[in-house]
């Protein structure tokens, strides 16, 4: 690989930005397509599908045949609230490949004993989140039902362009939440990105079932072929 291309690719990896290295098989020519440049590329639909799946592969036929080497940051989920749903959610999310972090300032709940094998941060979200570096490859799930804990986290996730933002609560609770977040300066477009009520509508009746519904919705958003740059807009 050309040194300039390798340097550019490493820069994208270090910044947790997606990119695709396109190799034209007939000529051997290579080019690096960054996620933010995807729309202008003649292979845009194929590139978007490859980024959504996270899988490398061939595209085109005959002289146009090219190999797409996909470089996508590892997807993460930040869960705000060390509650019963989170206890069921964390191991399932890890099993499907997500890096999971639990945040909750309530030290009686946010303990390693309640969340074995999961990173737990017993801090307020506005203190913990800057160190995690939220980005378009991070999902944020707010589960405490406490506006003081959930809403600063939701605001940070929307500003960072997280690919999924969801919050527990009824439609009535969410309507009041939206009013408060709008008063903090978030746009209607940003607020419309919050999944609330959270989770797929599968009739979930207990914490493990709610965890399944939430994880299914997170995965659906992760695999949807949209530009990560759009989420950050």
């Amino acid at each position: 690989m050309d040194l300039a291309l390798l340097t550019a690719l490493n820069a994208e990896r270090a910044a947790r930005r997606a990119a695709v290295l396109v190799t034209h098989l007939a000529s051997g020519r290579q080019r690096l397509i960054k996620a933010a440049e995807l729309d202008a590329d003649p292979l845009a639909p194929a590139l978007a599908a490859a980024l959504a799946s996270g899988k490398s592969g061939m595209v085109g036929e005959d002289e146009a045949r090219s190999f797409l080497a996909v470089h996508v940051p590892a997807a993460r989920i930040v869960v705000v609230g060390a509650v019963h749903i989170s206890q069921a959610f964390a191991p399932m999310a890890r099993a499907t490949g997500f890096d999971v972090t639990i945040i909750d300032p309530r030290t009686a709940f946010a303990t390693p004993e309640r969340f074995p094998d999961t990173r737990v941060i017993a801090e307020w979200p506005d203190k913990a989140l800057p160190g995690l570096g939220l980005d378009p490859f991070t999902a944020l799930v707010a589960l405490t039902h406490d506006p003081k804990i959930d809403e600063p986290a939701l605001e940070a996730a929307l500003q960072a362009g997280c690919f999924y933002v969801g919050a527990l609560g009824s439609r009535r609770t969410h309507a009041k939440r939206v009013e408060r977040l709008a008063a903090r300066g978030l746009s209607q477009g940003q607020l419309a990105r919050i999944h609330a009520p959270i989770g797929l509508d599968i009739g979930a009746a207990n914490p493990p079932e709610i965890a399944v519904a939430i994880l299914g919705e997170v995965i659906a958003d992760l695999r949807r072929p949209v530009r990560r740059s759009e989420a950050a807009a």
Side-chain angles (χ1 to χ4, degrees):
M1 183 192 302
D2 178 84
L3 181 58
L5 278 181
L6 179 60
T7 300
L9 176 58
N10 286 339
E12 295 306 293
R13 285 171 166 170
R16 279 184 56 83
R17 291 192 292 260
V20 182
L21 181 66
V22 181
T23 302
H24 182 243
L25 297 188
S27 66
R29 290 193 302 271
Q30 291 185 311
R31 55 197 175 91
L32 183 68
I33 308 301
K34 302 175 184 176
E37 302 167 346
L38 192 145
D39 286 340
D41 194 274
L43 295 177
L47 293 170
L51 285 177
S53 69
K55 296 180 179 177
S56 301
M58 306 292 289
V59 294
E61 296 180 355
D62 302 326
E63 288 299 311
R65 201 163 171 78
S66 296
F67 183 75
L68 308 183
V70 177
H71 299 268
V72 178
R76 307 180 299 186
I77 303 179
V78 175
V79 180
V80 177
V83 298
H84 291 310
I85 297 171
S86 310
Q87 288 180 291
F89 182 87
M92 288 192 293
R94 288 200 313 274
T96 49
F98 290 99
D99 178 28
V100 181
T101 299
I102 307 286
I103 297 174
D104 198 319
R106 300 169 297 185
T107 54
F109 299 148
T111 67
E113 292 75 19
R114 297 186 73 231
F115 295 94
D117 303 319
T118 300
R119 183 183 184 187
V120 178
I121 302 175
E123 272 287 5
W124 289 87
D126 55 352
K127 290 187 177 180
L129 290 176
L132 296 180
L134 298 181
D135 60 28
F137 291 89
T138 305
L140 185 129
V141 175
L143 301 177
T144 74
H145 263 310
D146 185 337
K148 299 191 301 299
I149 302 175
D150 285 347
E151 291 177 11
L154 293 171
E155 181 178 3
L158 292 171
Q159 298 288 15
C162 288
F163 76 86
Y164 176 93
V165 182
L168 196 66
S170 66
R171 296 186 189 283
R172 182 177 179 181
T173 296
H174 185 59
K176 294 179 180 177
R177 175 189 295 137
V178 165
E179 288 179 5
R180 291 190 294 269
L181 289 172
R184 294 166 71 103
L186 292 169
S187 70
Q188 290 304 309
Q190 288 175 309
L191 295 170
R193 294 193 56 240
I194 302 175
H195 292 269
I198 194 171
L200 299 175
D201 185 6
I202 59 172
N206 55 49
E209 292 180 0
I210 295 170
V212 169
I214 295 170
L215 184 58
E217 194 169 56
V218 171
I219 292 172
D221 268 19
L222 177 67
R223 298 306 179 199
R224 186 168 294 132
V226 297
R227 316 292 190 269
R228 298 296 174 210
S229 56
E230 289 178 358

